[in-house]
Amino acid sequence: MSLKILYAGSPDAAAKTLEILYQNQGQYEIVGVLSNPASAKGRHKDLIPTPVAAFALEKNIPLFTPEHLDSAVREEIKPLDADLLVCFAYGHIFGPKFLASFPLGGINLHPSLLPKYRGCTPVNAAILNGDSQTAISIQTLSLKMDEGDILAQEIVELNGNERADELLNYCAQKGAQLIVNLLNKASNDGKLPQGKVQSGQPSYTGIITKEDGKINWNDSAKAISARIRAYYPEPGCWCMEKINNQESPLRILAAKFISDNNSLLEEYSSAQVGQVLAFVKAQGILIKTGDGILCVTELQRQGKKAMMYKDFMNGARDFIGSILL
């Protein structure tokens, strides 16, 4: 049988997965796309479709962007006669009546080593916590958040330098191939394979806010570096700097930590936490933390474009010696 698929997703990463699924159609067909409504962005508040919706519009795939998954939506998608719901980062919980619309149920791509990091920000959590590995999990959609059986799972080794956007995109692409394999098998068998019940202690992640990105310079350089990578590009990490006796936000976009250079640590042992220590052309801008030194390589002042550290220092002659808050 050739499966009919309704795909649900919204952000960039979900659009990458959709593109790969679209390119590999053969034993299945994407008959519709479900995404969040367009949102107002920019100075003129133009309505901009989600990346997933934009892809559907480009490929002329029937698109549905409801505010709520109510009975009206179920009636709208009914003519599609979809066999299976495939989801990645849609942003809504599916109710029993909606899931019952699909004879084979639904599957979900979740970028974590389930049951660890259920919820909406598993990639960020893995980086923030310094995990040595995560996973790409394909699970059945259940009525409870991320509690479905595991249909496929691939371990992803982490080296401690990953950025959230890069890791999420990697999982989106690798996960798409896992889904393609599952869809082809389900098309041949007429059903999904038997899943494996999740085992182990679950943990949960929540929504990340702008305040979560506020840097506490009393933290270690290693922890701050992980936070910067975990929260890139959104909500981003930031602190405050004083310019002409006025405090202004400063975004720290890229940095690495120094914790094993004893001579450097000794040289600046009496410096204040949060103090901008030096500009090293071959490395970056050095900042004192509660444990170790943070070497910043990309930053952005409010209302200005993001800059690499050398360009930034060309217009920030009083930055060295200042105290970041």
Side-chain angles (χ1 to χ4, degrees):
M1 62 180 290
S2 178
L3 294 179
K4 293 182 179 179
I5 305 299
L6 176 67
Y7 183 85
S10 293
D12 278 321
K16 293 180 187 299
T17 299
L18 173 59
E19 181 179 3
I20 293 171
L21 296 184
Y22 181 84
Q23 292 170 344
N24 285 274
Q25 292 179 108
Q27 292 181 266
Y28 62 86
E29 178 189 2
I30 299 170
V31 295
V33 166
L34 186 64
S35 194
N36 283 332
S39 56
K41 294 180 180 179
R43 181 183 301 177
H44 302 292
K45 299 299 180 183
D46 295 325
L47 288 177
I48 306 298
T50 70
V52 165
F55 183 86
L57 291 169
E58 177 189 339
K59 301 300 182 182
N60 294 315
I61 306 171
L63 174 65
F64 307 87
T65 58
E67 290 280 356
H68 306 287
L69 296 177
D70 53 20
S71 59
V73 178
R74 296 197 298 273
E75 287 301 313
E76 277 191 273
I77 67 169
K78 193 173 182 179
L80 298 176
D81 199 25
D83 301 296
L84 181 70
L85 174 66
V86 176
C87 176
F88 178 31
Y90 173 48
H92 296 271
I93 294 177
F94 301 105
K97 291 181 180 179
F98 190 84
L99 286 178
S101 305
F102 308 92
L104 298 186
I107 61 174
N108 177 53
L109 192 169
H110 190 74
S112 86
L113 188 55
L114 287 170
K116 193 175 185 180
Y117 302 142
R118 291 172 177 167
C120 57
T121 53
V123 164
N124 314 81
I127 294 174
L128 192 63
N129 293 331
D131 292 353
S132 61
Q133 62 178 207
T134 185
I136 303 161
S137 300
I138 311 300
Q139 60 176 157
T140 58
L141 277 168
S142 70
L143 297 180
K144 294 184 178 180
M145 185 173 59
D146 299 326
E147 293 190 16
D149 294 347
I150 303 297
L151 300 172
Q153 195 170 67
E154 183 173 309
I155 299 296
V156 179
E157 300 294 339
L158 304 178
N159 60 26
N161 295 314
E162 291 82 9
R163 219 171 56 184
D165 61 334
E166 295 169 343
L167 181 54
L168 184 59
N169 286 337
Y170 176 83
C171 291
Q173 294 178 52
K174 288 289 185 179
Q177 191 56 57
L178 293 178
I179 293 174
V180 169
N181 295 340
L182 273 172
L183 294 180
N184 288 340
K185 181 173 175 53
S187 179
N188 290 330
D189 298 344
K191 61 180 181 180
L192 291 173
Q194 182 67 39
K196 180 182 177 182
V197 177
Q198 295 183 34
S199 62
Q201 182 64 38
S203 61
Y204 295 86
T205 64
I207 294 173
I208 299 169
T209 68
K210 180 182 177 181
E211 285 304 311
D212 291 322
K214 177 71 167 66
I215 295 173
N216 182 349
W217 293 107
N218 288 301
D219 290 342
S220 70
K222 183 177 182 180
I224 294 172
S225 172
R227 183 172 292 266
I228 291 167
R229 290 183 292 104
Y231 293 162
Y232 185 93
E234 295 296 338
C237 278
W238 57 279
C239 61
M240 302 297 289
E241 66 167 327
K242 279 191 175 182
I243 303 176
N244 298 326
N245 292 321
Q246 290 188 334
E247 292 185 5
S248 181
L250 175 69
R251 295 190 71 186
I252 308 294
L253 302 176
K256 52 191 174 183
F257 65 92
I258 301 172
S259 60
D260 56 358
N261 188 326
N262 292 329
S263 61
L264 190 63
L265 295 172
E266 185 176 343
E267 179 182 356
Y268 294 111
S269 60
S270 61
Q272 294 183 52
V273 169
Q275 184 173 346
V276 182
L277 304 173
F279 165 45
V280 182
K281 283 189 177 181
Q283 289 183 288
I285 300 168
L286 306 185
I287 302 173
K288 179 71 176 291
T289 74
D291 181 10
I293 292 172
L294 191 73
C295 181
V296 175
T297 55
E298 188 177 1
L299 6 60
Q300 182 178 17
R301 278 177 167 161
Q302 187 176 38
K304 305 292 185 179
K305 66 178 183 179
M307 294 184 179
M308 299 304 293
Y309 65 97
K310 292 180 183 178
D311 296 325
F312 179 88
M313 288 305 302
N314 286 335
R317 301 188 182 279
D318 297 329
F319 193 55
I320 306 302
S322 64
I323 307 296
L324 302 179
L325 307 173

